[in-house]
Amino acid sequence: MNRRAAALCGAAAVVAGLITALPAGATSDPAAAPRTTPPTGAAKPAWKKCGTRKHPTLQCASLKVPLDHANPMGRRITLALSRVPHTSKKTYQGPLLVNPGGPGGSGLTLAGFVAASLPKKVAAQYDVIGFDPRGVGASRPALNCRPGHFAPVRPDSLPAGDATEKANLDRVKAFAKACATKHADLLPYIDTVSAVRDMDAIRHALGAERINYFGYSYGTYLGAVYAKLHPGRVRRMVLDSVVDPTGVWYDDNIAQDLAFNDRHRAFMAWVAEHDATYGLGTDPESIETAWYAMRTALAKKPADKKVGASELEDAFSPGAYYDGYWPYLAAAFAAFVNDGDDDPLVEAYENFGAVDAAGDNSYSVYTAVQCRDARWPRDWDEWRDDNWAVNRKAPFMTWSNAWYNAPCAFWPTGPAEPVDVSNDAVPPVLLFQATGDAATPYEGGVTLHHVLGGSSLVVEQGGGNHGITLSGNTCLDKHLAAYLTDGRVPRGGGEADAVCEALPGPKPLKTKAVPGTRGAALHGLLGFRG
């Protein structure tokens, strides 16, 4: 999702010249690497207590895996693991690996959340296993290409002039160059297929013939690729908020832009419904005009020298993922427009949009995986043309999303080919999808349902959140619990096998307390950008 003038092609070549070639033995297509299995005598994880107040039974361990699975005797890296062990004495259904998406999301705490959120009788039958994928969080080495890459105030994401476009291009080129300088030895192996082979190494280390798997967002693609490469090692698989596997990754990000814009307009309509609270009027289009006027004002004079136009998008984009944030964002919006008070806006940015060191790490892995997984346009003109065309229809996040992914136009490692995840050999897979999901639009769930033989699709009608199970919708969670209990899946005659109504939208808050719902807890773990 980018663009750039021909004059920048020379600069791109300079960046490319700084890159090291693929290490010896590295294949341009990770999926084509030999399907190796860790030696039979591989060490089992040594679990130690690492419980928290919320998850007191959590345990932690680590596992060594090959950096290059095609060279199992070569350099090894370390994966961080977590576990909530099963407690049932009657029924044990094996390990349930969980992943929060990203790519780049840490799964260690997600294990505790899933174990605590499932019905007790269901959770008791599984060892719920979290893991930090290679390069992420507590796994070692961890990527951090350019600390402070998102430090405010950044250039306006909307490249209305040559100077702004150049400033943004300089940033993304600097990021790609920093990754090449710091992590040239790792980047060829930070990709979905390598993470899948790590998952199989975890399975082997746990002594399990097959795994159960529960993935959100990008984790749905990770699961689908695992199922493709190891169909006989899948027992049960739940995929929530499904990536369209046919758009990996450039086209998927373009599709996001249109869906994000729809979701932002849904937020504008919600604000209009609550004019009595926010005083911004009852016409969603007028409210949207006021929002863009706020953006223009902040582009000229950032709030507290911290929240400019790009940071405003950072603060409001989480609302496209989870409507539980809408009351906080609406209050900050109203304070700025009605009272000229930008303090709530700065607070909203710090709570929802600011990127810390963990975020720097997550973004580094996100970029490394997406840029390595598939081909991206290398001609900036193509990015520019595509994004201006989409921006005319969907201005809310198009250019912000473009710059987020733009390092892939200048990435140091060559691309692999996306995995064709079509699969008739895997046991029934249970898919969950909201009709208004912006990060992974609805069509992705339908597409994966069609190419996974025997899968079942449960749709949340009218829902717009990203990540919908274990968030308070009892209809969805009943299907989830039934499947994890005995493998039952719904079977219907239409596009969806079962339909659940979405939860009611949020209400304006009477307190500034941080959200304390299960939905808020889940979305804090899933993060943003997929």
Side-chain angles (χ1 to χ4, degrees), residues 4 10 101 147 184 189 199 246 259 262 319 322 388 428 461 489 516:
R4 176 40 311 196
Y189 309 104
M199 287 170 56
T246 65
D262 289 343
Y322 176 53
W388 275 122
Q461 184 65 42
V489 294

Side-chain angles (χ1 to χ4, degrees), residues 169-495:
L169 277 167
D170 287 347
R171 283 187 68 254
V172 300
K173 288 178 182 179
F175 186 87
K177 180 179 178 181
C179 286
T181 301
K182 294 180 68 173
H183 300 303
D185 57 333
L186 301 176
L187 294 184
Y189 309 104
I190 306 296
D191 59 88
T192 296
V193 170
S194 294
V196 158
R197 301 200 188 285
D198 291 345
M199 287 170 56
D200 205 53
I202 294 171
R203 175 201 60 79
H204 184 275
L206 295 174
E209 292 186 5
R210 296 185 294 167
I211 64 167
N212 308 282
Y213 177 80
F214 186 178
Y216 290 93
S217 192
Y218 162 78
T220 65
Y221 182 67
L222 185 66
V225 173
Y226 184 92
K228 180 69 172 189
L229 299 187
H230 305 293
R233 297 173 188 171
V234 175
R235 183 173 179 271
R236 290 182 189 147
M237 181 170 285
V238 179
L239 306 179
D240 182 330
S241 302
V242 179
V243 166
D244 184 343
T246 65
V248 175
W249 290 110
Y250 184 80
D251 289 344
D252 276 350
N253 279 285
I254 290 286
Q256 274 188 340
D257 297 337
L258 299 168
F260 275 129
N261 203 71
D262 289 343
R263 190 70 171 138
H264 187 60
R265 285 177 173 165
F267 170 53
M268 298 292 104
W270 181 86
V271 173
E273 290 174 5
H274 298 285
D275 178 55
T277 299
Y278 302 114
L280 290 168
T282 58
D283 176 28
E285 290 188 6
S286 296
I287 295 171
E288 186 177 15
T289 298
W291 193 91
Y292 283 104
M294 175 175 67
R295 186 193 186 284
T296 299
L298 291 169
K300 295 177 180 177
K301 184 181 179 182
D304 196 28
K305 299 181 179 180
K306 185 179 293 185
V307 180
S310 293
E311 290 73 28
L312 181 73
E313 291 164 341
D314 293 346
F316 277 76
S317 62
Y321 288 77
Y322 176 53
D323 62 16
Y325 300 136
W326 286 2
Y328 304 92
L329 297 173
F333 177 20
F336 184 90
V337 173
N338 295 332
D339 305 322
D341 182 4
D342 60 16
D343 287 345
L345 208 58
V346 173
E347 183 179 1
Y349 166 73
E350 291 173 342
N351 287 337
F352 302 129
V355 175
D356 58 11
D360 283 334
N361 164 245
S362 179
Y363 177 67
S364 296
V365 176
Y366 169 94
T367 312
V369 171
Q370 293 225 336
C371 298
R372 174 74 174 124
D373 267 1
R375 298 183 184 278
W376 293 74
R378 293 286 180 155
D379 182 351
W380 186 251
D381 286 344
E382 183 175 348
W383 288 68
R384 181 194 292 110
D385 292 344
D386 288 347
N387 281 279
W388 275 122
V390 176
N391 187 79
R392 285 191 284 271
K393 305 178 211 174
F396 171 55
M397 283 287 291
T398 294
W399 274 108
S400 175
N401 208 12
W403 297 120
Y404 199 83
N405 292 281
C408 293
F410 311 101
W411 201 244
T413 57
E417 294 297 326
V419 176
D420 175 2
V421 301
S422 57
N423 195 337
D424 291 322
V426 71
V429 174
L430 185 59
L431 313 176
F432 290 92
Q433 186 68 42
T435 55
D437 186 354
T440 52
Y442 176 74
E443 292 74 17
V446 174
T447 298
L448 190 61
H449 181 33
H450 286 161
V451 301
L452 285 185
S455 64
S456 287
L457 174 62
V458 179
V459 169
E460 186 182 50
Q461 184 65 42
N465 288 338
H466 179 65
I468 54 176
T469 56
L470 303 183
S471 295
N473 190 319
T474 56
C475 175
L476 297 172
D477 291 349
K478 284 180 182 178
H479 289 293
L480 173 64
Y483 178 68
L484 291 178
T485 297
D486 57 21
R488 279 178 291 150
V489 294
R491 294 297 183 191
E495 187 172 74

